[in-house]
């Protein structure tokens, strides 16, 4: 079957949208929907590391600037 006219453009647009969806899902969507899983992974990877000791140049450890004191 040979696509011409609007069917060609609809297939092309649908294909591009599908490819972008497949590419962006594991990068952006999955991590935002499974935040707790990524927090556990980060906690596991950073165990035993004291951030104050490895902070370069005697700088203060990062804190949330919008957090109330």
């Amino acid at each position: 079957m040979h696509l011409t006219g609007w069917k060609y453009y609809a297939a092309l647009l649908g294909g591009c949208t599908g490819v972008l969806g497949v590419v962006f899902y594991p990068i952006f969507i999955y991590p935002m929907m499974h935040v707790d899983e990524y927090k556990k992974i980060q906690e596991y990877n950073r165990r035993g590391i004291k951030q104050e000791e490895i902070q370069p140049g005697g700088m203060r450890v990062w804190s949330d600037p919008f957090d109330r004191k």
Side-chain angles (χ1 to χ4, degrees):
M1 173 173 21
H2 191 284
L3 297 177
T4 59
W6 68 272
K7 290 181 182 179
Y8 171 76
Y9 292 113
L12 185 65
L13 185 62
C16 289
T17 304
V19 167
L20 287 175
V22 167
V23 168
F24 285 136
Y25 180 78
I27 298 170
F28 295 111
I29 298 169
Y30 184 83
M32 287 194 168
M33 293 176 66
H34 299 91
V35 174
D36 294 332
E37 181 181 337
Y38 281 84
K39 282 183 180 180
K40 287 179 185 176
I41 292 170
Q42 188 177 51
E43 202 174 283
Y44 177 78
N45 288 336
R46 293 184 180 183
R47 72 183 186 283
I49 297 175
K50 294 179 182 161
Q51 193 171 1
E52 294 83 13
E53 293 176 0
I54 62 170
Q55 190 72 14
M59 297 172 65
R60 190 172 63 110
V61 175
W62 184 88
S63 61
D64 188 358
F66 300 105
D67 193 24
R68 295 195 180 228
K69 295 181 180 178

